Amino acid sequence: MEENKFFKLVWRFNGLVISVAGVLAVGVLLFVAFKLFQDVTRERTTRNIVNIEENAEIKENWRFGQLTKINDGKVLMIPLYSDQSFDRDYFSKSSNSTRNHLFINTETSQKTWLFDHTNYLIERSDKLRKGDFNSKEPIVAILYQLVQLDSDHDNRLSAGDLRTIAITKPDGSGYKELIKEVESIVDHTLLNKTELFLVYQKAGVSYSTVLNLEKFVLTKTGKLPKVGL
């Protein structure tokens, strides 16, 4: 009799353990399913992508970004961002991108847009000055990487498209497009206050060039040698 009671207790204990384990397993499965559902249906955010799909229902909001002081605050540069959001069957997606820059002359109060439209994606805008990012040297020009056309035909302006390299003076004036259909800018550095050394890739070929920052003219452009040649 004592043995039967002992085995009954063991069976009950085992049954209780199995029940608890089953409840925990179901809870874990429900939690995993919930997280998967959240991942599938969550809003997905991307940067530097402009959706230009004609049939898509796109909501677009505009906002100013953080201003940058140029040359002791004589000029303020303020980016204009677009926040695009559009729905898919099981998720919503949003994209933030730079579409223009506003330049404000703090001495004359003159306000000028870089472009009179918002058709381009401004992928980068590099303020050119000697030294590193924290240098106190004056900015001598601003170099832009623009996506103007959907070259890969995916209904988006993005890093997958060909770029245009353009430049302006520090106050945003004198805009000039230097090189079109560029795959990427490898790097650039100021040689002095009037010359910028630039390395870029176009049509699978790497080039170097020197940009005169006074006349915005390219000189000494040539292909980089291939490895082993």
Side-chain angles (χ1 to χ4, degrees), residues 73-78 101-114 170-174:
K74 295 179 180 179
V75 174
L76 303 178
M77 180 180 179
I78 310 175
H101 285 291
L102 180 64
F103 292 87
I104 301 176
N105 187 312
T106 57
E107 295 179 335
T108 65
S109 297
Q110 182 179 2
K111 302 173 182 65
T112 307
W113 285 103
L114 176 62
D171 62 358
S173 64

Side-chain angles (χ1 to χ4, degrees), residues 52-228:
I52 57 173
E53 189 175 355
E54 293 183 358
N55 298 325
E57 294 184 3
I58 302 172
K59 297 178 182 178
E60 194 162 36
N61 296 315
W62 301 89
R63 62 182 177 85
F64 283 110
Q66 185 175 3
L67 63 84
T68 301
K69 293 182 179 180
I70 296 178
N71 296 344
D72 296 327
K74 295 179 180 179
V75 174
L76 303 178
M77 180 180 179
I78 310 175
L80 176 67
Y81 298 133
S82 70
D83 295 329
Q84 290 184 330
S85 60
F86 47 96
D87 295 328
R88 290 292 185 253
D89 292 338
Y90 298 104
F91 66 89
S92 60
K93 191 170 185 177
S94 64
S95 177
N96 304 319
S97 55
T98 306
R99 306 288 291 278
N100 212 332
H101 285 291
L102 180 64
F103 292 87
I104 301 176
N105 187 312
T106 57
E107 295 179 335
T108 65
S109 297
Q110 182 179 2
K111 302 173 182 65
T112 307
W113 285 103
L114 176 62
F115 304 117
D116 59 1
H117 58 77
T118 55
N119 298 334
Y120 301 156
L121 165 64
I122 304 176
E123 192 175 22
R124 288 191 60 173
S125 53
D126 296 333
K127 301 164 188 67
L128 305 178
R129 71 173 105 198
K130 291 287 287 183
D132 59 19
F133 179 78
N134 295 318
S135 172
K136 300 299 182 181
E137 292 291 324
I139 294 171
V140 296
I142 303 175
L143 190 72
Y144 306 88
Q145 295 184 49
L146 311 172
V147 179
Q148 298 175 310
L149 297 172
D150 177 25
S151 60
D152 61 3
H153 307 293
D154 64 350
N155 291 318
R156 291 169 177 80
L157 302 180
S158 68
D161 294 307
L162 297 176
R163 301 162 175 81
T164 295
I165 302 175
I167 197 166
T168 66
K169 295 178 181 178
D171 62 358
S173 64
Y175 174 82
K176 184 176 182 180
E177 295 179 358
L178 303 171
I179 315 170
K180 288 181 173 288
E181 298 182 347
V182 172
E183 293 166 358
S184 65
I185 292 181
V186 179
D187 207 351
H188 58 74
T189 186
L190 275 177
L191 300 178
N192 48 61
K193 291 184 178 180
T194 61
E195 290 184 313
L196 176 74
F197 187 82
L198 179 68
V199 178
Y200 63 94
Q201 186 168 347
K202 180 175 180 177
V205 180
S206 296
Y207 296 86
S208 67
T209 189
V210 175
L211 170 63
N212 184 299
L213 296 172
E214 293 180 331
K215 300 179 180 180
F216 288 175
V217 175
L218 296 173
T219 62
K220 304 177 184 178
T221 301
K223 297 180 181 179
L224 296 183
K226 294 182 179 180
V227 176

